[in-house]
Amino acid sequence: MNTGNARVTLLLAAVLLGAAGCAPGGGPAAPPANTAGPATAPASAAATMAITIRDFGYGEPLLVPAGAALTITNMDSAAHTVTADDGSAFDVDVKGSGGTATFTAPSKPGTYTYHCRYHPSMHGTLTVR
């Protein structure tokens, strides 16, 4: 085989292979589309279901799906509770200084007001859909 022709063939093959990874205009080609979809949970499932206690307050009212798992984080140094005003829907103790606890939202939709058993001025609202 003629070495000049072999070099031209190899050069042409290299150019063609290199062009396969380029977009029109010479830039790099975009990665292939992901046809399987994103590997993340839907936005509704990714939403934080949490109550953060800070400065002897529960924060904004929370809207959650029925039966959702909720995490409570207590940023105050004092212990607190998240106790349903009706007394039976939920009652959770949370240690102070970053303590956490979890509970399951009621399965029955509605608005549940709650308070801290240790600090009667603390009140919050949980709406279950």
Side-chain angles (χ1 to χ4, degrees), residues 29-119:
N34 182 355
T35 57
T40 58
S44 59
T48 302
M49 308 281 177
I51 297 170
T52 300
I53 301 170
R54 181 177 280 121
D55 299 326
F56 288 77
Y58 294 110
E60 296 297 317
L62 193 59
L63 173 67
V64 299
L70 285 103
T71 299
I72 307 161
T73 303
N74 182 359
M75 302 308 291
D76 291 341
S77 59
H80 294 294
T81 70
V82 176
T83 305
D85 289 350
D86 75 4
S88 63
F90 48 87
D91 185 14
V92 183
D93 286 295
V94 191
K95 292 180 181 179
S97 301
T100 61
T102 59
F103 74 99
T104 302
S107 58
K108 182 180 175 185
T111 299
Y112 296 83
T113 54
Y114 57 89
H115 63 278
C116 176
R117 284 185 275 116
Y118 308 133
H119 308 99

